Amino acid sequence: MTEKGEFMLQKPNFKSITLALQKLANPDKAKLLARFFKTGPGEYGEGDVFLGITVPAQKKVAGQYANLTLTNLQKLLQSKIHEHRLTALLILVKQYQQAGSDDQKQIVDFYLHNTKHINNWDLVDLSAPNILGNYLLKNDRRLLYQLMKSKNLWERRIAILATFAFIRNNQFTDTLKIAKLLLIDKHDLIHKALGWMLREIGKRDQKILEDFLNQHHQNMPRTMLRYAIERLPEALRKKYLHQPKILKN
C-alpha cells in the first residue's frame, strides 16, 4: 500500500490529518524553522512549535484532506504546532476557491474569527490574499481599515496582505492608502509587508510607485523603502536611498 493510499483510506478528521503530518516530521529541520520564525522568548513567534515539514509537503496533505470540516479545521488552528495551523489554512484556501458565494462568506467569517491563531507571517501571507483579499474584491473593504488599526501585529499584516488580491487585479488605491497610514508602524514585519506590496505595485505600474515614493520615501522606515525599490533601476534606488530623511519636530 502506498503512502498516498494510506492517507486516502483514513477517515478525514483531526486525528488522521495530524497523524499524516506527524509522519512527515523532520526534527532537524524543525530546529532550523524554530530559529527562522523567531520562536524564542520575547520574539514574535514565541512558543510556536514546529514539526519540520516543507510547505510543498503540507500542500500535498492539504489536497488529500481538502474536505475536512470547519470543526476539524478549528481544532487544527487551535494547535500549538505551526504546521497544523498552516495546513488548516491551506485547506481553507482550497475550500474557498471551490465554494459558492454563500459558503465563501462562511469561510471568510471563520477566517476572521480565527485571526488570533493566524499568528506568524507565513500563515498570513499564504492565506490573507487568497481568502479575505479575494472576497473583498467584490465586497465592502472597510473591514481592512479596522484590521489595520488593530493592536495585533498579525491582523495588521492580514490587512496589508489582503490587498495583494487587489494588486493582482490592478487595483492599487487601498494598498497605497494603507501604506500611507502605516508609515508610523513600529514593527519590522509590517515594514517588510508594506514594502513588498509597494514593490508589487511597481512591477505593474512603476509611475504609481514612483509617485508614492516621491511623496513619502523620506519618512518611510528603511526596511520598507528597501523592499519597495528593489526592482527599480539602480539610479532610482540610489536616489531614494541617499536623500536625507526628514526630521520631524
Side-chain angles (χ1 to χ4, degrees):
M1 183 183 295
T2 65
E3 186 177 87
K4 181 177 180 181
E6 289 175 354
F7 285 150
M8 296 304 290
L9 286 173
Q10 293 175 6
K11 184 179 179 181
N13 57 27
F14 175 77
K15 182 178 180 180
S16 61
I17 191 171
T18 54
L19 286 173
L21 289 168
Q22 188 62 47
K23 289 181 180 181
L24 301 172
N26 182 327
D28 290 335
K29 190 170 182 63
K31 292 178 183 178
L32 293 173
L33 289 171
R35 289 196 293 270
F36 182 71
F37 284 96
K38 308 294 184 184
T39 62
E43 295 182 312
Y44 62 73
E46 181 177 359
D48 214 348
V49 177
F50 284 82
L51 295 176
I53 309 172
T54 65
V55 173
Q58 289 177 77
K59 287 184 176 180
K60 183 177 179 181
V61 174
Q64 293 161 346
Y65 285 84
N67 294 324
L68 210 62
T69 65
L70 291 182
T71 299
N72 283 299
L73 291 176
Q74 182 72 61
K75 292 179 182 178
L76 285 172
L77 285 171
Q78 291 172 336
S79 171
K80 65 181 180 180
I81 295 174
H82 188 96
E83 288 89 345
H84 288 180
R85 303 197 306 282
L86 179 53
T87 302
L89 291 166
L90 293 172
I91 292 171
L92 205 61
V93 169
K94 287 181 176 293
Q95 292 184 356
Y96 178 88
Q97 292 170 341
Q98 296 170 4
S101 57
D102 289 344
D103 288 336
Q104 285 183 339
K105 175 64 164 58
Q106 182 183 14
I107 290 169
V108 169
D109 290 343
F110 177 82
Y111 183 83
L112 292 171
H113 181 72
N114 281 284
T115 54
K116 65 182 178 181
H117 304 303
I118 307 169
N119 57 353
N120 217 312
W121 58 263
D122 61 326
L123 305 179
V124 172
D125 297 2
L126 289 170
S127 63
N130 300 314
I131 297 176
L132 183 59
N134 188 281
Y135 180 77
L136 293 179
L137 280 169
K138 297 181 179 179
N139 290 282
D140 191 336
R141 299 181 185 180
R142 283 179 291 182
L143 171 64
L144 286 182
Y145 297 89
Q146 297 172 19
L147 291 171
M148 182 205 72
K149 296 176 183 177
S150 173
K151 293 181 180 180
N152 183 306
L153 162 66
W154 307 114
E155 289 190 344
R156 300 200 305 278
R157 188 164 174 120
I158 286 170
I160 298 163
L161 264 292
T163 71
F164 201 176
F166 311 161
I167 294 169
R168 289 169 177 163
N169 285 270
N170 293 312
Q171 300 176 22
F172 308 139
T173 301
D174 289 290
T175 307
L176 296 170
K177 284 182 180 179
I178 289 173
K180 182 178 178 180
L181 291 167
L182 287 179
L183 283 174
I184 60 173
D185 198 283
K186 302 298 183 183
H187 205 289
D188 186 63
L189 286 177
I190 297 301
H191 304 166
K192 290 178 179 178
L194 292 168
W196 174 19
M197 292 302 98
L198 290 172
R199 185 176 72 229
E200 291 296 328
I201 289 174
K203 286 162 62 174
R204 293 160 175 83
D205 192 322
Q206 184 173 312
K207 183 180 183 304
I208 289 178
L209 172 59
E210 287 186 51
D211 287 345
F212 183 90
L213 292 172
N214 289 338
Q215 286 186 294
H216 303 293
H217 76 278
Q218 290 177 306
N219 291 318
M220 289 168 65
R222 202 68 169 174
T223 298
M224 178 181 172
L225 177 61
R226 287 187 178 278
Y227 271 60
I229 65 177
E230 194 174 69
R231 293 294 189 94
L232 293 180
E234 183 178 2
L236 273 179
R237 293 201 307 273
K238 288 182 177 179
K239 167 192 168 184
Y240 291 123
L241 282 172
H242 297 304
Q243 286 189 4
K245 187 176 180 68
I246 294 174
L247 297 178
K248 295 183 178 180
N249 295 328

